[in-house]
Amino acid sequence: MIGETLVEQFDTDLGKQVFEQLEKLLAAGQVVFLFDSMDEMPRADYGARFEVLKRFADQYSSNNKLIFACRKLDYRERFESRKVIIDVFSRGQIKQFLKNMGLPDWKVLYQKLIDRKLGYRELAENPFFLKLIATYWQEKQTLPENQTVLFQEFSQFLLRNFSEIQMSGSPSLWSGVRRSL
């Protein structure tokens, strides 16, 4: 299923290349999976989906990072995972974060993010999404159309860097990708 998703989303040899190396990367403990929106999984087969995710987590979580996220606790406690709650940023914290990123036009971005009419305020209050949005802005000087576009662009960024790392064999590139996260 993961391989199909990679190929489907990126419709290039890159998705297939990453999937073909997935077992090796999992064995080496070099994978971070973010399973977001656990509360949005279809209810009809939730139990079966949960069991597949549980088996995957049991098999690979000791060496890799597996993150299961949702707005509310909507997964079974049998995951036996640590819980982390990301508190929302205040307007002042959003402003400080953007200033600290060193964006030359951070004030323009800040005004767009806090404008409730544009619909980015809730995303900007989340530190993870704020980092993604600010990075997107830094690259494109515009805001993404929506959250899906934001994730697709970020995934493309990670896969491009993965491809460059594989071609060069340079661990310093991987360090740069980690720092950018």
Side-chain angles (χ1 to χ4, degrees):
M1 183 160 52
I2 293 169
E4 292 169 8
T5 302
L6 288 169
V7 171
E8 178 184 302
Q9 287 292 314
F10 302 107
D11 196 28
T12 64
D13 292 334
L14 191 54
K16 185 177 178 187
Q17 178 185 354
V18 171
F19 178 67
E20 288 172 353
Q21 295 194 29
L22 187 58
E23 285 295 326
K24 183 174 119 182
L25 294 169
L26 284 165
Q30 296 181 336
V31 177
V32 175
F33 270 107
L34 172 61
F35 297 96
D36 191 20
S37 303
M38 294 285 290
D39 56 326
E40 296 175 22
M41 286 196 305
R43 292 297 171 203
D45 59 352
Y46 182 86
R49 289 172 185 260
F50 173 83
E51 289 304 323
V52 169
L53 290 172
K54 173 83 169 107
R55 283 194 304 274
F56 184 81
D58 288 346
Q59 184 173 356
Y60 295 110
S61 65
S62 61
N63 295 330
N64 300 283
K65 299 291 183 204
L66 305 181
I67 303 164
F68 296 89
C70 56
R71 292 187 184 275
K72 59 183 188 258
L73 181 59
D74 191 37
Y75 56 87
R76 298 179 178 159
E77 291 291 330
R78 291 188 352 212
F79 261 146
E80 299 169 8
S81 62
R82 290 180 286 180
K83 294 177 187 76
V84 176
I85 297 171
I86 300 175
D87 202 6
V88 296
F89 272 178
S90 67
R91 288 173 58 164
Q93 288 170 312
I94 293 169
K95 184 185 287 188
Q96 190 61 48
F97 183 92
L98 295 174
K99 283 170 64 174
N100 290 347
M101 275 199 67
L103 300 174
D105 55 351
W106 69 267
K107 290 179 183 178
V108 174
L109 177 56
Y110 174 74
Q111 289 303 319
K112 289 180 181 289
L113 291 176
I114 63 167
D115 184 344
R116 290 212 184 265
K117 294 176 195 165
L118 295 178
Y120 291 93
R121 176 86 176 262
E122 187 176 321
L123 282 177
E125 291 173 343
N126 179 304
F128 174 74
F129 288 123
L130 182 58
K131 173 65 174 177
L132 294 186
I133 291 169
T135 302
Y136 186 96
W137 177 270
Q138 195 169 25
E139 293 289 318
K140 301 190 179 281
Q141 298 303 303
T142 188
L143 289 169
E145 283 178 49
N146 54 46
Q147 190 172 338
T148 301
V149 169
L150 182 63
F151 273 121
Q152 286 174 336
E153 289 289 330
F154 185 64
S155 298
Q156 288 282 352
F157 167 80
L158 292 176
L159 287 172
R160 280 192 306 273
N161 280 288
F162 175 80
S163 181
E164 292 172 18
I165 292 162
Q166 292 302 308
M167 289 180 182
S168 71
S170 169
S172 62
L173 279 175
W174 181 244
S175 302
V177 171
R178 285 185 181 168
R179 277 193 303 274
S180 73
L181 296 175

